[in-house]
Amino acid sequence: MDCQKKIWLDLLNEDEAWALFKRHAEPDNQSSLSLSSVAQDIARECKGLPIAIQAVGRSLKGQSIHEWKIALEKLRSSKPVDVEDGQGDVFSCLKLSYDYLKDENKLLFLICCIFPEDYDISNEDLIRCGVGLGVYGEYQSFDLARSQIMVGINKLVDACLLMHSKRQWGGIALKMHDLIRDLGLWIASQEGRTIMVNVSNDLNSLIGDGVINDQFAVSSWYRQTNQISTLFVAAKLEILWIETGGSLDISSASFEGLQGLKVMVLSSSCNYNPIRCDLSLPPSIESLSNLRTLCLRGWNLGDISFLVKLKKLEVLELKSCVFNELLNEIANLSKLKLLDLSECASLSENYEAIGALLEIEELYVSGASYYRGMWRNPSPSFLDNVAATRLQRYVIKFEGNYFFSSRVITEDLIMRALYLKSINISSLSASIKILWQKAEYVDFGGFHGDCQNFVPNVVRAVGGMKDLVLLQLGSCSQIECVLDTTSNDVDVELPALVALCLIDMRNLKEVCRGPPPVGFFEKLEELYIFACMQLRSIFPRECKLPKLKILKIDLCKATVLFSVSVAQSLSQLEELIITHCGELKHIITDQEGGGDTNTGKEIVPASHNSHLILPNLKRLSIRFCRKLESICPIFCIEGLEKLEEIELENDSRLKYVFGQYDQRDHSSHQKNSQFQFPMLKALTLKGLHNLCSICPEKYHLSCPSLKKLQVLDCENLTVLYENGAVAS
């Protein structure tokens, strides 16, 4: 970095090392009296290096005194290792954690070393590679194999040999500390499983020089490699991973020297437009008789008939690829358990061939986002023949469906998801019904049939949706309400529902018609309502939402959002974002007749527990709600102590942010006319032409943590807030 000043991060002293070691090993929790001195000796043998202390401590946590003594002897008697000067002691310490792993977890650890430094490793890549290598031997089901590998990953994290990371595009990832990765590569070389990670050389030169001949795994990340014309000779090679920056021609190469290959991944980094990235494979690919995992990502493949010759395939991924046709002969792949056709397109619509895969357990199919002209996306008809009863995990999506980002379900946690559009609810095939019944995430677009509501009409037609966690409805013009309890025969439930999204529901008038059943919405954490232009009533007075964290509403006609009784149930709400609701007058109000009257008259009972109203709200944003008169009664302020951000824009009728208190002046609030937002950091007020102040004149507000203030086009604003600052 060419820093002018370098700061040396020294090793820990003995006291610091002991404190860190105790945190991870917890020797004080052991019953043995002689353990303390052994533990201190082990901490000293870690030579003050934090990552070594952490790894050794974690590996010994909960072990017997005998294990601790053996570990100390190993550290004291370990022979110098063939690594760079200064790393021998460190590697000896870290290797102790590796030695305590089971054999299958050791192999999983070595798989993690095939990636470059600082690489975000996805769980899914480890699972698909691990299954291909047979890390945990034969398995009764793919789901069980997946669970075993996930347990192994957790063991590596617990041993500090892996750490969690977050990819920029969302989801969970894993990373290796550089020193841990170096250890893994060294261990692999010592155990006869040498791993080559190429980032700077053309792969042809390495193959030609025989560098790969005795390798267990080869991964190449040199993006300029566009042609490989050399004979592969590597009898011990079990993993081959090649990632390039464009087209790749291997047609002149030969795979006949790779008879032991079990996992092959060929990936193009231009997978946003695979039509430009051709992959030309040699005829000898059919000779890879032991190949169990094949992942081709981001390629224009053309003819894929070679696949039917790879009889041992258990995992086949053609993610973001285009190809001529999915052949009926794919049924010959009798061992295939996972098929990934995400973001794929073909010249043929023959996705019905998937129905011939009777042993398939995981299926991922979606239309290509780069769909142009002649390329065709799959149609839902292929689902009629799929072996739905065997599928344990599936994500099936068709072009044109809506999608929104949810904090509830990430890409690593979705197990069973359906994105379907233009489906006739009255004539569902048996396979689709089974998939819907098992689905956790359902996205319906423009379905039709006898469906004036989702519950009970649609759920009953499907046969129940007990596992549904996230529901999205878009452009379903027949739906008038999500839940209808006006009839007495509503016996269907959505007990697991956590997130609900409603988009462009043109005839939706109510979320709930009639009083909701007890507990119906009590697990709901996220609610999104967009472009539902007839929606006037959102929350009936009887509604309880104790776990709701995010509420976003845009383009609907409700005049009131919550009654006070509903607001009091929102104990976990963190984000409230409302935009373009032209009829909205009040966010929180207590009115005669419930939350859907238009009088705007506030009636505040004496028994209100104001500290229970929105106690966890952090962000409040209301924009372009031109008829808005008040956000909430003044007594609600006491519950808003965690507010960090307030954004109000173009709410032109708003006179006070926290509305005029009831003229009867409730006695409990006459004594407490000073309020505080202790955590408010950002306040934005724009285009509020009638705004006079945050609160009526006799109430005073202080914001001691305010760091960002924006006020624009608020010409009637005279006092912004008091007891901390006075503005305008």
Side-chain angles (χ1 to χ4, degrees):
M1 294 173 61
D2 294 326
C3 295
Q4 297 303 310
K5 184 178 181 180
K6 296 180 181 178
I7 300 173
W8 177 253
L9 300 181
D10 207 347
L11 298 177
L12 302 182
N13 62 38
E14 190 168 312
D15 290 339
E16 293 168 337
W18 175 236
L20 182 62
F21 183 81
K22 286 196 297 181
R23 182 188 303 172
H24 292 286
E26 298 183 1
D28 294 341
N29 293 340
Q30 303 281 49
S31 58
S32 175
L33 296 176
S34 60
L35 184 63
S36 179
S37 61
V38 176
Q40 291 184 47
D41 288 341
I42 291 174
R44 291 189 195 99
E45 289 296 325
C46 292
K47 312 298 182 183
L49 187 73
I51 193 170
I53 295 168
Q54 188 177 1
V56 172
R58 285 285 186 90
S59 66
L60 291 173
K61 181 179 177 181
Q63 301 290 342
S64 69
I65 179 64
H66 308 293
E67 296 284 355
W68 287 65
K69 288 180 178 179
I70 292 172
L72 177 59
E73 181 59 26
K74 282 186 176 182
L75 290 172
R76 283 175 170 170
S77 61
S78 60
K79 298 178 181 179
V81 294
D82 185 19
V83 294
E84 296 179 10
D85 293 341
Q87 288 190 326
D89 290 336
V90 174
F91 274 26
S92 296
C93 293
L94 295 178
K95 189 174 184 297
L96 189 67
S97 289
Y98 175 82
D99 291 338
Y100 274 101
L101 296 174
K102 293 181 179 179
D103 288 344
E104 56 266 29
N105 292 336
K106 289 179 179 179
L107 180 53
L108 186 64
F109 170 73
L110 296 182
I111 294 174
C112 298
C113 300
I114 70 174
F115 302 98
E117 288 186 359
D118 299 320
Y119 189 87
D120 284 320
I121 308 169
S122 78
N123 288 338
E124 199 59 36
D125 280 342
L126 291 183
I127 290 167
R128 297 182 186 190
C129 288
V131 168
L133 286 182
V135 170
Y136 294 93
E138 298 301 319
Y139 50 86
Q140 294 178 343
S141 69
F142 199 94
D143 190 57
L144 182 58
R146 174 182 288 277
S147 295
Q148 288 176 325
I149 293 174
M150 289 303 299
V151 169
I153 290 172
N154 292 335
K155 295 289 186 183
L156 296 179
V157 172
D158 289 342
C160 297
L161 297 175
L162 278 181
M163 52 189 174
H164 289 298
S165 172
K166 277 197 173 183
R167 291 190 290 255
Q168 291 182 349
W169 57 91
I172 301 170
L174 300 162
K175 275 194 176 182
M176 263 191 160
H177 188 284
D178 292 351
L179 193 60
I180 297 290
R181 179 176 169 275
D182 292 342
L183 168 73
L185 293 173
W186 174 77
I187 289 174
S189 66
Q190 299 299 302
E191 296 186 348
R193 285 177 166 162
T194 310
I195 297 171
M196 185 187 78
V197 184
N198 171 51
V199 294
S200 57
N201 296 293
D202 187 88
L203 195 54
N204 285 283
S205 62
L206 300 175
I207 298 173
D209 293 340
V211 178
I212 75 165
N213 289 11
D214 295 319
Q215 303 288 326
F216 163 74
V218 171
S219 66
S220 178
W221 309 84
Y222 184 67
R223 301 296 177 86
Q224 283 70 44
T225 298
N226 53 36
Q227 184 177 23
I228 300 175
S229 55
T230 312
L231 176 67
F232 282 89
V233 179
K236 296 182 179 180
L237 192 67
E238 295 189 26
I239 304 176
L240 177 62
W241 188 308
I242 301 175
E243 183 154 336
T244 72
S247 294
L248 180 61
D249 184 358
I250 322 179
S251 57
S252 300
S254 175
F255 288 154
E256 292 180 358
L258 301 179
Q259 293 303 308
L261 194 66
K262 295 179 180 178
V263 176
M264 183 162 70
V265 180
L266 304 178
S267 177
S268 171
S269 61
C270 65
N271 58 10
Y272 60 90
N273 191 356
I275 296 176
R276 297 181 181 177
C277 299
D278 294 322
L279 177 63
S280 302
L281 295 166
S284 57
I285 191 172
E286 297 180 359
S287 68
L288 299 179
S289 57
N290 287 304
L291 196 65
R292 297 174 63 179
T293 292
L294 175 61
C295 301
L296 304 177
R297 300 171 177 172
W299 301 109
N300 182 8
L301 295 173
D303 182 13
I304 57 172
S305 58
F306 65 89
L307 294 175
V308 301
K309 302 293 185 180
L310 305 176
K311 304 292 187 181
K312 289 190 177 181
L313 272 186
E314 297 178 35
V315 176
L316 175 58
E317 177 187 326
L318 303 178
K319 193 171 184 178
S320 297
C321 289
V322 292
F323 46 84
N324 292 347
E325 184 180 15
L326 195 65
L327 303 174
N328 289 323
E329 287 79 6
I330 197 173
N332 294 332
L333 301 178
S334 59
K335 295 182 179 295
L336 194 64
K337 298 295 191 297
L338 183 153
L339 177 61
D340 190 343
L341 301 177
S342 302
E343 299 293 325
C344 282
S346 71
L347 281 171
S348 167
E349 293 182 353
N350 189 29
Y351 282 80
E352 281 73 14
I354 296 173
L357 295 168
L358 300 180
E359 300 300 316
I360 199 79
E361 295 182 34
E362 298 195 10
L363 178 62
Y364 307 91
V365 179
S366 60
S369 57
Y370 48 80
Y371 170 69
R372 296 288 186 276
M374 62 181 181
W375 297 105
R376 298 182 181 182
N377 285 316
S379 65
S381 61
F382 86 89
L383 292 175
D384 293 342
N385 301 312
V386 75
T389 55
R390 289 194 60 85
L391 288 180
Q392 299 300 311
R393 292 173 68 97
Y394 49 88
V395 178
I396 301 171
K397 180 179 179 181
F398 298 97
E399 184 208 358
N401 286 66
Y402 296 102
F403 178 78
F404 77 98
S405 178
S406 167
R407 290 197 323 201
V408 177
I409 298 182
T410 68
E411 61 179 27
D412 300 283
L413 297 178
I414 295 175
M415 289 184 61
R416 298 181 292 276
L418 281 175
Y419 305 72
L420 301 176
K421 66 173 186 176
S422 302
I423 298 292
N424 190 335
I425 298 299
S426 303
S427 57
L428 299 175
S429 68
S431 293
I432 290 183
K433 282 186 178 182
I434 292 172
L435 294 175
W436 276 1
Q437 290 167 13
K438 296 165 62 176
E440 296 175 323
Y441 185 156
V442 169
D443 179 349
F444 291 103
F447 63 75
H448 52 281
D450 184 16
C451 50
Q452 283 71 45
N453 55 68
F454 189 77
V455 179
N457 289 169
V458 176
V459 177
R460 188 172 289 165
V462 169
M465 304 178 76
K466 298 288 188 181
D467 297 328
L468 188 63
V469 174
L470 192 153
L471 170 64
Q472 179 163 296
L473 302 176
S475 302
C476 301
S477 58
Q478 293 183 345
I479 293 286
E480 296 182 359
C481 63
V482 178
L483 171 65
D484 189 349
T485 63
T486 55
S487 61
N488 296 322
D489 61 344
V490 178
D491 57 352
V492 294
E493 298 180 2
L494 302 176
L497 188 66
V498 173
L500 174 63
C501 181
L502 307 170
I503 301 176
D504 192 27
M505 303 286 286
R506 298 178 183 179
N507 289 308
L508 186 71
K509 297 177 176 61
E510 303 166 90
V511 173
C512 182
R513 181 173 292 168
V518 175
F520 190 85
F521 289 120
E522 289 193 358
K523 287 189 177 181
L524 198 67
E525 295 182 19
E526 302 180 35
L527 177 58
Y528 304 82
I529 301 175
F530 303 130
C532 298
M533 299 302 296
Q534 301 300 317
L535 183 61
R536 295 183 179 275
S537 175
I538 301 178
F539 303 109
R541 293 177 67 91
E542 302 88 349
C543 188
K544 303 299 180 186
L545 302 158
K547 293 190 176 181
L548 191 67
K549 294 180 180 179
I550 301 175
L551 175 59
K552 296 183 180 181
I553 300 176
D554 181 58
L555 287 171
C556 73
K557 289 191 174 182
T559 57
V560 170
L561 201 55
F562 312 119
S563 67
V564 170
S565 61
V566 174
Q568 284 178 325
S569 76
L570 296 168
S571 58
Q572 299 300 316
L573 189 66
E574 297 177 5
E575 293 185 33
L576 177 58
I577 301 172
I578 306 168
T579 55
H580 299 100
C581 293
E583 301 298 320
L584 188 66
K585 293 183 178 181
H586 305 279
I587 306 300
I588 300 176
T589 188
D590 199 337
Q591 302 173 354
E592 295 287 359
D596 35 348
T597 65
N598 297 324
T599 64
K601 181 181 178 182
E602 297 175 6
I603 300 174
V604 185
S607 60
H608 276 314
N609 294 318
S610 57
H611 65 284
L612 297 179
I613 295 180
L614 308 183
N616 282 294
L617 190 65
K618 295 179 181 179
R619 183 186 178 196
L620 174 65
S621 176
I622 306 174
R623 302 168 60 242
F624 299 98
C625 299
R626 299 186 183 277
K627 292 185 179 181
L628 188 68
E629 296 176 3
S630 71
I631 293 177
C632 64
I634 194 70
F635 63 80
C636 294
I637 268 192
E638 291 183 63
L640 301 176
E641 292 187 349
K642 292 188 179 180
L643 254 182
E644 297 178 4
E645 179 183 352
I646 298 177
E647 180 185 28
L648 303 174
E649 182 177 353
N650 286 85
D651 306 322
S652 54
R653 288 193 185 180
L654 193 65
K655 187 176 181 181
Y656 300 106
V657 176
F658 302 101
Q660 185 74 39
Y661 188 63
D662 186 1
Q663 296 299 320
R664 291 172 294 179
D665 284 336
H666 193 276
S667 58
S668 66
H669 291 281
Q670 287 180 341
K671 296 178 181 179
N672 182 18
S673 61
Q674 294 186 2
F675 301 102
Q676 188 178 78
F677 285 157
M679 301 181 71
L680 189 67
K681 297 179 177 65
L683 175 61
T684 301
L685 306 172
K686 294 182 180 179
L688 307 178
H689 302 293
N690 286 315
L691 188 70
C692 298
S693 179
I694 299 291
C695 306
E697 290 77 1
K698 59 183 176 181
Y699 301 99
H700 304 289
L701 180 68
S702 65
C703 307
S705 301
L706 194 67
K707 295 180 179 179
K708 180 182 178 182
L709 173 64
Q710 287 185 310
V711 180
L712 181 65
D713 294 334
C714 301
E715 56 268 24
N716 287 322
L717 184 63
T718 55
V719 178
L720 187 57
Y721 62 91
E722 296 183 1
N723 287 354
V726 179
S728 301

